[in-house]
Amino acid sequence: MTDDEESRQRFKARVREWAEKLEVEATAIYIRPMRRKWASCSTAGTLSFNDELPSMPRELGDYVIVHELLHFSVPNHGRLWKSLMRAHLGDFERIEGELRKQAGS
Ligand SMILES: [Zn+2]
């Protein structure tokens, strides 16, 4: 297994761990090249993640994972979503800022 493949597998395992913790059913997890987006989710429980994420710092990956998984139960970025983000990730707005910097590089 290549390093790249290994980091993808590890990333998928983290998605499954978070899904279990958040009691969300992720039916399929894909990692693929994406432009302008870090991830997307469908109502059928399919999650797609940008293939740059597995090699990025862990907290950035966790931010994107939790962000998407919470959308299964909260479809917007309102007060409830924010309070759940804070409960699981702490200062998620700082991480969001970091992620934005990555996108610009
Ligand atoms: Zn969102």
Side-chain angles (χ1 to χ4, degrees):
M1 197 154 61
T2 63
D3 283 358
D4 195 45
E5 205 178 317
E6 204 179 307
S7 65
R8 282 163 181 251
Q9 292 305 326
R10 248 199 315 259
F11 189 86
K12 284 189 182 183
R14 266 160 65 202
V15 176
R16 281 188 222 102
E17 273 167 35
W18 274 111
E20 205 170 301
K21 194 171 167 181
L22 300 173
E23 296 178 324
V24 165
E25 184 122 29
T27 50
I29 302 159
Y30 298 105
I31 295 173
R32 56 187 179 86
M34 288 177 127
R35 282 180 163 269
R36 302 162 185 276
K37 266 170 90 166
W38 292 112
S40 66
C41 62
S42 80
T43 45
T46 300
L47 287 154
S48 299
F49 291 95
N50 190 311
D51 67 351
E52 287 174 43
L53 285 167
S55 56
M56 283 165 55
R58 193 190 172 96
E59 69 169 4
L60 300 183
D62 282 346
Y63 168 90
V64 176
I65 294 168
V66 176
H67 182 139
E68 289 309 313
L69 289 174
L70 288 178
H71 278 329
F72 281 48
S73 43
V74 188
N76 52 47
H77 303 126
R79 194 179 290 182
L80 175 61
W81 182 85
K82 282 184 179 161
S83 72
L84 289 167
M85 284 294 279
R86 196 163 292 119
H88 291 290
L89 298 170
D91 187 4
F92 74 93
E93 276 145 328
R94 179 187 59 79
I95 308 172
E96 200 172 73
E98 287 296 317
L99 202 56
R100 242 181 245 124
K101 275 186 235 158
Q102 295 275 336
S105 70

